[in-house]
Amino acid sequence: LSQQSGTTETVDTDDPPPDTEFEDIVVRIAWENDRPVWRVNGQEAENLAQVQQRLQVVSEIKRDASVILHPDDNVPVGDVIDVYDISRIAGFDQIQFAIIP
């Protein structure tokens, strides 16, 4: 008899697996020391490539999630557009901007 339980996983020990119960992915973009700083659902990313990698992992699990871009006021527009573009490349269709009252 051959049993397949489907429990085989590859785990990257540097990044915890994404929570499959989330509804939205929030990408915070701050401007610190004359450069952008990104946080994806509260976890800091070292560079834009790491942001894209995390978004790609989530899109493979839950492509219909919304990506919410939440840039600080002083973040240059080009850095916000970069995150918008990689969100689209990762396969997300619903990309929104946080509105601060």
Side-chain angles (χ1 to χ4, degrees), residues 13-82:
T13 57
D14 292 334
D15 293 324
D19 182 1
T20 58
E21 298 300 318
F22 56 77
E23 297 205 2
D24 299 324
I25 302 113
V26 177
V27 181
R28 288 285 315 216
I29 310 165
W31 191 255
E32 298 174 7
N33 300 320
D34 295 323
R35 67 182 272 305
V37 176
W38 307 270
R39 288 178 185 84
V40 180
N41 283 353
Q43 295 182 338
E44 191 165 327
E46 292 182 22
N47 52 46
L48 195 57
Q50 194 174 62
V51 174
Q52 183 173 3
Q53 177 186 19
R54 290 182 184 175
L55 290 174
Q56 189 67 46
V57 168
V58 174
S59 77
E60 291 171 8
I61 296 168
K62 190 166 174 65
R63 182 168 291 212
D64 63 340
S66 294
V67 175
I68 299 174
L69 303 182
H70 189 171
D72 286 353
D73 289 340
N74 59 340
V75 174
V77 172
D79 291 297
V80 178
I81 291 171
D82 288 343

